[in-house]
Amino acid sequence: MGGRVSRCEASSASSEQKLNQGRSVNMEEKTTQQTKPSRRPWFWKRIERTELPNPGSYEDINQEASAVLRPNLFDGFRFDFNYPLSAMFSMGHSIEMGSLQKPPGYAFSANYLSNHLVMLSRVDLSGHVNGRIFINHSPFLTSKIVAETSPQPNESKATWDLDYRGSDFCGQLKFGNMGIVALSYLQSVTPNLSMGGEGFYQGATGFSAITAAGRYVTHDGVATCTIASFGPLVASYCHRVNPRVTLATELFWDLRSRDSLVTIGYKFDLRQASVIGQVDTNGRVAALLEEKINPGLSFLLSGEIDHSRQEYKFGFGVTIGQ
């Protein structure tokens, strides 16, 4: 009897082991089926895009050349004082005098900066109020609202931009007063080349235009070209000679009026100063010097000579704070 009992116990034990093994096998199969990626259609890879870089927004297609060829020139005396009230809120004061283009004035600014919301405002004694709001809805979607009010009639304006940044493309939808609607798109074609276009319509005047652009990037240079349906063609190239020296040039040619302009500029970044200079085919020569005396104090010199118009402008300024 004892032998039979032991055999029964052994057989039951072996049955339990087989049952457990079967359960474990079934669980492994279910887990494998759950973790195994589902078969996707052949076009899914194209929808997911590739490893191409994001080309940036269409309106900033030539930002490298613009940073050299379009410095913030001024004339007369300018004093800027900016101070933070907290980690997110700051205020500023600006005084301008001695300018040949506008009367002396004072402006007050208040700014709020956070990870998801940026608000910038500025108001002066003449009644001009400027405001800009940037909202990060997600890592891919951003809104930009720009408003400007003026005491002069028909000079106030407002725009709302909605930017979407994909893995290798960037699209923008813009709305503005006077019935302005614009749509732009920029797509990376290769790791170095990106192409896109923009459509613009203004309902108040019925004016519409289409532009096409291309951008080619290398490890030390950026070349761009933009052509519009109403005539202008703009080609630019920015070359970084070394970490401190940058050269840029731009060609503007109106295909309808046959007017053209070539601008050449340079930028030197020194240890405590930066120098930006330019010259164009109209005989205009300009330069801007910013000397950082210490982290919270900067001195600026601005000069511009237009030989064709016989205009000479000179300005110096002081900036306190960041």
Side-chain angles (χ1 to χ4, degrees):
M1 292 293 294
R4 293 180 180 179
V5 173
S6 60
R7 288 178 183 177
C8 292
E9 291 177 354
S11 61
S12 62
S14 60
S15 300
E16 291 180 359
Q17 291 178 359
K18 291 180 180 180
L19 182 60
N20 294 332
Q21 290 177 359
R23 290 176 179 175
S24 61
V25 170
N26 293 334
M27 291 296 295
E28 290 178 359
E29 291 179 354
K30 291 181 180 180
T31 305
T32 304
Q33 292 177 359
Q34 292 177 357
T35 58
K36 184 178 179 180
S38 60
R39 299 186 62 182
R40 296 174 177 176
W42 60 273
F43 57 83
W44 185 261
K45 184 62 178 179
R46 297 185 180 180
I47 295 178
E48 284 186 337
R49 302 297 179 183
T50 59
E51 297 179 356
L52 296 176
N54 184 282
S57 62
Y58 185 87
E59 62 181 2
D60 297 331
I61 191 170
N62 61 342
Q63 60 179 349
E64 293 83 3
S66 298
V68 179
L69 301 176
R70 294 173 180 81
N72 188 18
L73 301 173
F74 63 96
D75 63 331
F77 172 74
R78 190 177 74 182
F79 174 75
D80 297 321
F81 178 58
N82 304 312
Y83 60 95
L85 298 178
S86 65
M88 297 182 179
F89 189 71
S90 64
M91 302 176 65
H93 306 274
S94 179
I95 300 175
E96 296 181 356
M97 60 183 64
S99 175
L100 300 176
Q101 298 178 337
K102 51 186 178 180
Y106 164 80
F108 171 79
S109 61
N111 306 321
Y112 176 83
L113 296 89
S114 66
N115 294 330
H116 302 284
L117 178 64
V118 176
M119 295 187 295
L120 309 175
S121 63
R122 180 183 175 92
V123 58
D124 57 25
L125 298 179
S126 62
H128 291 83
V129 179
N130 300 324
R132 288 178 293 172
I133 301 176
F134 302 87
I135 306 173
N136 291 328
H137 303 284
S138 69
F140 308 100
L141 189 62
T142 304
S143 291
K144 180 175 66 174
I145 302 173
V146 179
E148 179 180 353
T149 61
S150 173
Q152 304 296 330
N154 300 326
E155 289 191 3
S156 300
K157 56 184 179 180
T159 59
W160 175 60
D161 299 354
L162 190 63
D163 298 340
Y164 183 84
R165 292 178 177 267
S167 59
D168 58 358
F169 70 94
C170 186
Q172 182 184 70
L173 181 61
K174 175 181 290 188
F175 297 97
N177 60 333
M178 300 181 66
I180 294 177
V181 180
L183 178 64
S184 63
Y185 182 82
L186 191 62
Q187 171 71 55
S188 291
V189 182
T190 67
N192 303 101
L193 178 64
S194 57
M195 303 179 67
E198 181 182 31
F200 176 86
Y201 177 76
Q202 186 174 8
T205 60
F207 174 77
S208 61
I210 298 175
T211 62
R215 173 184 170 94
Y216 189 82
V217 181
T218 62
H219 69 282
D220 57 0
V222 178
T224 63
C225 183
T226 304
I227 184 170
S229 59
F230 55 94
L233 182 148
V234 181
S236 65
Y237 178 71
C238 182
H239 182 76
R240 194 171 186 84
V241 181
N242 56 52
R244 293 189 175 184
V245 180
T246 304
L247 303 177
T249 182
E250 182 181 77
L251 167 65
F252 173 84
W253 183 28
D254 194 326
L255 301 178
R256 294 186 176 181
S257 63
R258 302 299 180 182
D259 294 335
S260 62
L261 178 66
V262 177
T263 307
I264 301 175
Y266 62 87
K267 182 179 180 181
F268 291 95
D269 292 321
L270 306 177
R271 187 176 62 179
Q272 292 184 339
S274 64
V275 183
I276 302 177
Q278 60 180 233
V279 59
D280 60 28
T281 54
N282 285 341
R284 176 176 170 272
V285 182
L288 177 65
L289 167 67
E290 181 178 1
E291 174 76 21
K292 294 183 179 180
I293 302 175
N294 59 50
L297 179 62
S298 300
F299 178 72
L300 296 92
L301 285 177
S302 175
E304 181 180 358
I305 301 176
D306 194 335
H307 294 283
S308 61
R309 299 181 179 179
Q310 297 296 317
E311 294 180 355
Y312 308 93
K313 302 176 184 178
F314 176 78
F316 66 95
V318 177
T319 301
I320 300 177
Q322 301 296 328

